[in-house]
Amino acid sequence: MSYVEFWGDDGYDDEVVSAIERACDTDPRAALRLVAEYSTYWWSHGMQDEAAAAAERVLSMLGRTVPVGLDEEYLLAVLHGAASAEQEQLELAEQIVLATTGPFRYSVTVLLWSLVFGPFESASVVEEVLARNEDGDAWTRAAVELCRGYPGLTSATPGDAAQALRTALGRFRMLDDRWGMFLALTALREIVDDPVDIISEALELAEKLRADDESGLLLCQRGELYRRQGDLDAAGEDFSWALALAEHADLPETAAAAHIGLARVARCSGDLLTAREHLAVVVSRDSEDLEDARYEAMHELNLLINSEASA
């Protein structure tokens, strides 16, 4: 069954989940095939949570048994559900990759494997997997270049990595794959000298993709770059925008980063009272997830104290 039978213009349809649930109860092999079949769609639409939920359901039924002839399908399920997969399932997935001598059958497999397992493999293993998939279709070739340039995956020099990412970006543009473009841009921003324009383009894509978390983080990063360049007005706009987005989408870590950014802008502008007010908000939060943010806010408070003492 094609995914167009499940999805319409409005996006994800709950019928997919129902179909996988029914298949898990009656035909686990069919359920595994469904997870593999919809992997590309889930990824390209930023539906990692939906993919993980479906994969976890199938893996709970299969356990440590890889159905005959469905090795790559099992690998994809583990890649989607890696966060909750059993250690034995992770090891089985690794064995499948090592035992595969040719290219993957599903285009999305090489990218998901590289991003999920790649950071824990040697650069030589990653390059070997990429090399045997570089003659695939246009999307696979774009994904291979993305992985070649992705920070921490291969031993590519910064120059080679940047070139690979720019090649991936161009290919994803031709394919009109927004998530591919977004990944290429967010990776590229880490290795270029002046990433403001790249962050701005990535931010436009994040907004179109309705990726609030990513948008907030990009706004904070661009705001900090503007602050360091001395453009306090632009920095303040970005941090304020990030704060509004974080509060609307309930993103406490992004909100904390925005408050700290606004405090720095206020300190640099000489408005120490406003800086204190923003930092006080962060320090007052008692969530364990905000421990690093509170530490950073305390550091900023010390800078304020020194600024007041020298005034």
Side-chain angles (χ1 to χ4, degrees):
M1 183 178 290
S2 170
Y3 73 75
V4 296
E5 296 180 56
F6 276 125
W7 279 285
D9 294 336
D10 293 333
Y12 185 79
D13 191 325
D14 287 340
E15 290 182 27
V16 175
V17 175
S18 298
I20 292 174
E21 289 282 349
R22 291 194 300 271
C24 283
D25 294 333
T26 60
D27 188 352
R29 290 175 61 88
L32 193 57
R33 288 194 186 96
L34 280 173
V35 170
E37 181 178 353
Y38 293 108
S39 290
T40 298
Y41 186 91
W42 279 325
W43 180 85
S44 65
H45 287 73
M47 296 177 175
Q48 291 85 353
D49 290 343
E50 289 85 349
E56 290 166 7
R57 178 74 172 90
V58 176
L59 289 174
S60 68
M61 296 296 296
L62 293 173
R64 304 164 194 172
T65 301
V66 180
V68 176
L70 297 178
D71 289 11
E72 189 173 338
E73 287 80 358
Y74 188 89
L75 168 62
L76 276 168
V78 173
L79 290 173
H80 286 304
S84 61
E86 298 177 6
Q87 181 61 35
E88 292 83 354
Q89 292 174 327
L90 296 173
E91 292 171 357
L92 282 171
E94 184 178 13
Q95 292 171 15
I96 290 170
V97 175
L98 296 177
T100 303
T101 57
F104 292 123
R105 291 181 290 107
Y106 294 88
S107 297
V108 76
T109 306
V110 65
L111 178 59
L112 290 179
W113 176 83
S114 297
L115 297 181
V116 176
F117 285 171
F120 306 101
E121 297 285 356
S122 67
S124 61
V125 169
V126 173
E127 181 53 44
E128 190 276 329
V129 173
L130 296 179
R132 54 184 165 88
N133 285 278
E134 61 186 355
D135 293 327
D137 60 21
W139 193 92
T140 302
R141 295 196 299 273
V144 166
E145 290 302 313
L146 171 63
C147 296
R148 284 205 167 110
Y150 212 80
L153 287 183
T154 70
S155 56
T157 65
D160 289 342
Q163 181 57 50
L165 290 170
R166 292 188 187 281
T167 298
L169 179 59
R171 290 178 178 177
F172 281 126
R173 276 202 181 107
M174 288 191 293
L175 295 168
D176 195 27
D177 186 322
R178 291 177 177 176
W179 273 104
M181 292 165 59
F182 179 76
L183 278 181
L185 287 166
T186 52
L188 191 58
R189 85 188 196 278
E190 297 185 23
I191 58 177
V192 298
D193 294 331
D194 185 7
V196 170
D197 290 342
I198 291 172
I199 292 175
S200 297
E201 185 176 356
L203 182 58
E204 290 180 9
L205 284 171
E207 291 168 358
K208 292 177 181 178
L209 294 166
R210 299 178 183 177
D212 291 340
D213 199 355
E214 288 81 357
S215 292
L217 293 175
L218 287 169
L219 282 166
C220 287
Q221 185 175 26
R222 190 175 67 176
E224 181 60 17
L225 289 172
Y226 282 144
R227 186 188 71 84
R228 293 180 181 180
Q229 293 171 0
D231 192 344
L232 299 183
D233 289 338
E237 289 179 5
D238 273 359
F239 286 125
S240 296
W241 187 4
L243 180 59
L245 187 153
E247 291 178 340
H248 174 74
D250 191 21
L251 301 170
E253 293 181 48
T254 302
H259 275 297
I260 292 172
L262 287 168
R264 287 171 175 161
V265 170
R267 173 171 58 80
C268 292
S269 302
D271 187 353
L272 304 188
L273 178 60
T274 297
R276 278 184 175 275
E277 290 174 350
H278 282 294
L279 295 174
V281 173
V282 180
V283 172
S284 67
R285 303 287 166 79
D286 59 1
S287 170
E288 291 184 5
D289 294 335
L290 297 179
E291 182 176 351
D292 290 341
R294 286 197 300 274
Y295 178 84
E296 191 171 353
M298 291 300 299
H299 175 70
E300 285 297 317
L301 279 173
N302 288 332
L303 292 177
L304 280 181
I305 293 172
N306 292 335
S307 296
E308 292 169 339
S310 60

